[in-house]
Amino acid sequence: MHWHSRLVQPQTLAAPGFESLATPTYRGSTVLFNKQADVVDAWDQAKGGYSYGLYGTPTTLELSGRIAQLEGALHSFVVPGGQAAIALVYFAMCQAGSHALVPHNAYGPNKEMAQGLLKGLGIDVEPYDPLIGAGITDLIRDNTSLIWVESPGSVTMEVQDVPAICAAAHEKGAMVAIDNTYAAGVLFDAFAHGVDINMQALTKYVGGHSDLLLGTVSVNSEVLKEKVGATFKQLGLAVSPDDCNLALRGLQTLGIRLAHLEKSTLEVAEWLTKQSAVAQVLHPAFPSCPGHEIWKRDFTGSSSVFSFLFTDEYTAEQVEKFIDSLSMFKIGMSWGGVTSLALVYPNIERPGKDYAGRLVRLNIGLEQTSDLIADLERAIEVISK
Ligand SMILES: *Cc1c(COP(=O)(O)O)cnc(C)c1O
């Protein structure tokens, strides 16, 4: 054999039998078959055998299996990010002429897709009040195929009565999907509360280190598995096995990180409730958060992201200066990593409410809380002079 050929088809191989604690990263697009008759092109490789890297390598499928186990799902689809997971849910559940419902406080890019791509395809996505509860029944039409819930909702943190919404939806034949990113898929047991599709951005708590983007869509029935699976295959939502490997590493410390973050975040939020500059703390574990009673009933804990509102003695310009005066808290999007973050939401749109640029969202990281509180105290002082 010419050495060029030998480079491509090597005859030496490392000995098998290497047992380690780390999950190997299997990269690969082409999958080899023993004979032509074995060639398949099916996404469900657990059932039909490996077919193509697009549908996952053993590393991807290991992550998929572990998320499914954690969430109590039949199957989890691993996709390139939380937003891709949202798209997968919409495209699996809706078609031209479908109606869907999405809460006002949903993740911004979800609403952007609803008013953009989906509208263009003839899918009608209607916003609703996240605190509507069983009242959602009046909004469900014959063609309502999907109801989103996100609890607590992005930025304004309203906790939804998910069991009541699910009961109303199922009565009228609609499916409920949750964006369960806040709870890392675990602090709120979505399937036990009646949800049909459990979606989360692994980018946040599972990754946990601000260095990867991944999402999951988990289902609990064969029918939904086939439905979402067909869409997953057609959309070609490939993920990098390297990113999946990082997510698998993140999973190992998810429990201990969430427990620590809950404690630290409660400490910082508690301190904020005592500041005269603060009008309201929007953290689900505090009675000042809309839906707090439901959080107590349905959740097993809280995580690291919450918001607070400055009193109306402060202008939007002062609040912006507050953000710029922080030093421990960095200014940036996303959350769930080890670093504390702060952002002001100047143009947050909620019907009947005007936050006037006074709403600040914090993500608490793994820094010492005394340093974080000192940072907040200093920045409040700067704008209060
Ligand atoms: C971050 C986030 C997403 C999107 O995740 P990406 O991986 O950044 O695409 C979706 N929903 C919520 C609630 C999020 O916070």
Side-chain angles (χ1 to χ4, degrees):
M1 214 187 268
H2 190 277
W3 68 273
H4 284 186
S5 302
R6 218 179 319 122
L7 284 176
V8 176
Q9 298 196 10
Q11 258 119 45
T12 55
L13 289 169
F18 178 74
E19 293 269 349
S20 95
L21 290 168
T23 308
T25 301
Y26 290 95
R27 303 177 56 86
S29 50
T30 299
V31 165
L32 300 180
F33 302 96
N34 284 325
K35 52 183 195 301
Q36 176 63 40
D38 293 343
V39 177
V40 285
D41 180 28
W43 71 265
D44 193 353
Q45 303 182 107
K47 205 155 71 185
Y50 286 106
S51 56
Y52 192 40
L54 183 62
Y55 317 130
T57 75
T59 313
T60 322
L61 298 178
E62 181 67 28
L63 178 61
S64 149
R66 290 200 203 174
I67 296 288
Q69 206 169 45
L70 196 64
E71 295 179 350
L74 174 68
H75 187 81
S76 292
F77 295 89
V78 181
V79 299
Q83 181 67 359
I86 291 168
L88 175 57
V89 172
Y90 271 123
F91 286 115
M93 305 309 293
C94 301
Q95 52 190 327
S98 294
H99 173 249
L101 289 161
V102 68
H104 290 308
N105 58 358
Y107 178 63
N110 179 330
K111 295 186 287 182
E112 199 178 321
M113 194 188 317
Q115 294 314 314
L117 270 179
L118 299 173
K119 196 173 192 175
L121 294 170
I123 298 163
D124 175 15
V125 186
E126 183 188 349
Y128 72 89
D129 174 1
L131 299 171
I132 197 167
I136 198 146
T137 192
D138 296 337
L139 300 181
I140 303 174
R141 307 178 193 165
D142 291 343
N143 62 339
T144 305
S145 54
L146 175 67
I147 300 174
W148 275 104
V149 291
E150 186 181 319
S151 178
S154 284
V155 190
T156 43
M157 306 300 289
E158 297 88 345
V159 183
Q160 296 196 263
D161 193 342
V162 174
I165 291 172
C166 290
H170 294 156
E171 178 126 339
K172 294 196 168 180
M175 293 283 179
V176 178
I178 189 169
D179 185 333
N180 208 9
T181 304
Y182 172 88
V186 292
L187 302 176
F188 177 74
D189 186 343
F191 293 121
H193 288 92
V195 169
D196 303 289
I197 303 176
N198 189 9
M199 164 264 141
Q200 66 159 317
L202 301 187
T203 307
K204 310 290 163 61
Y205 291 118
V206 171
H209 295 79
S210 314
D211 55 3
L212 65 87
L213 289 141
L214 283 173
T216 43
V217 173
S218 302
V219 292
N220 224 0
S221 78
E222 280 293 346
V223 172
L224 281 176
K225 181 180 162 187
E226 291 311 317
K227 200 166 179 169
V228 177
T231 311
F232 168 76
K233 181 171 187 276
Q234 288 170 50
L235 286 175
L237 296 171
V239 296
S240 158
D242 297 283
D243 290 343
C244 292
N245 193 293
L246 285 175
L248 283 163
R249 178 199 282 221
L251 272 179
Q252 294 175 323
T253 54
L254 177 66
I256 200 159
R257 280 186 288 111
L258 281 177
H260 187 87
L261 290 172
E262 172 169 34
K263 205 168 141 274
S264 301
T265 304
L266 285 169
E267 254 179 72
V268 176
E270 178 75 40
W271 181 83
L272 280 166
T273 62
K274 294 180 190 135
Q275 306 312 304
S276 57
V278 174
Q280 192 179 5
V281 172
L282 298 168
H283 182 301
F286 290 74
S288 50
C289 187
H292 163 71
E293 292 301 323
I294 293 168
W295 173 82
K296 272 210 301 203
R297 184 191 71 191
D298 293 349
F299 281 67
T300 56
S302 57
S303 56
S304 69
V305 67
F306 71 100
S307 300
F308 71 93
L309 200 58
F310 274 97
T311 63
D312 52 19
E313 281 157 37
Y314 292 86
T315 63
E317 292 70 37
Q318 280 171 300
V319 176
E320 192 178 326
K321 191 172 169 199
F322 163 80
I323 298 286
D324 294 343
S325 305
L326 293 164
S327 64
M328 294 288 294
F329 283 87
K330 306 302 175 196
I331 305 167
M333 237 97 74
S334 205
W335 41 273
V338 302
T339 312
S340 292
L341 300 170
L343 265 190
V344 67
Y345 283 82
N347 303 314
I348 191 118
E349 280 178 34
R350 300 286 186 264
K353 280 236 166 83
D354 182 11
Y355 293 99
R358 290 194 283 267
L359 192 66
V360 172
R361 189 182 72 179
L362 299 181
N363 171 66
I364 304 302
L366 294 179
E367 301 92 343
Q368 200 67 23
T369 46
S370 52
D371 287 333
L372 296 174
I373 289 170
D375 196 27
L376 294 169
E377 190 164 31
R378 211 162 30 231
I380 292 175
E381 248 172 57
V382 170
I383 61 163
S384 301
K385 268 176 205 154

